[in-house]
């Protein structure tokens, strides 16, 4: 079972990397960019085929290691 | 219009960061992890409301700046 995990900075947290990318896009001529935010993307392949068990494990992994809950939020899909 | 862009390393490219995360998860007691791959996640907000125009711009941005086509692949959703 494969989990796709999307980690984003919370809206209230400044994203200087995103601002840099926005400026770079503008300097390439893309004037219509309102905002850019950067995040992380994990693909975790688990041995288990039990969706409930996988969801529980992925949430634990996010809380313990992959996500900093002070400044980041996460979503995931299982397939 | 908001684009969510997922950038992943191609399958043939080694991902040492992913291996490190896998080992960290194992040392936390998660023995059922087969593989971990890391990627990047961008949220780009565009002024345009034209989906075709947005898709064209996002693809250009990826090719010119956001993605290294030698080692990375990308997907995106528009909403």
């Amino acid at each position: 079972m494969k989990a796709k995990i999307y980690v984003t900075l919370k809206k209230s947290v400044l994203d200087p990397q995103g601002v840099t990318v926005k400026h770079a896009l503008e300097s390439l001529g893309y004037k219509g960019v309102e905002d850019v935010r950067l995040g992380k993307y994990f693909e975790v392949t688990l041995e288990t085929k039990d969706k409930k068990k996988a969801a529980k494990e992925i949430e634990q992994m996010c809380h313990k290691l992959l996500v900093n809950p002070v400044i980041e939020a996460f979503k995931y899909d299982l397939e």
Side-chain angles (χ1 to χ4, degrees), chain A:
Chain A
M1 180 151 270
K2 199 173 186 178
K4 296 180 175 182
I5 308 171
Y6 317 102
V7 181
T8 49
L9 285 171
K10 287 183 182 169
K11 275 185 190 160
S12 53
V13 179
L14 290 177
D15 181 5
Q17 252 191 309
V19 174
T20 305
V21 172
K22 181 172 182 278
H23 288 319
L25 288 171
E26 281 168 352
S27 73
L28 285 172
Y30 298 103
K31 303 297 180 196
V33 180
E34 275 176 6
D35 193 28
V36 179
R37 305 276 290 174
L38 257 76
K40 284 180 291 184
Y41 173 64
F42 296 92
E43 284 183 356
V44 179
T45 312
L46 297 172
E47 273 167 22
T48 180
K49 288 193 169 86
D50 179 343
K51 201 164 183 176
K52 267 194 186 168
K53 197 183 159 200
K56 203 181 151 194
E57 277 205 351
I58 291 294
E59 284 188 28
Q60 284 182 352
M61 287 175 190
C62 286
H63 286 294
K64 285 190 189 166
L65 183 77
L66 305 177
V67 178
N68 176 352
V70 179
I71 55 167
E72 292 172 334
F74 70 96
K75 273 186 257 180
Y76 63 92
D77 297 324
L78 286 168
E79 45 185 68

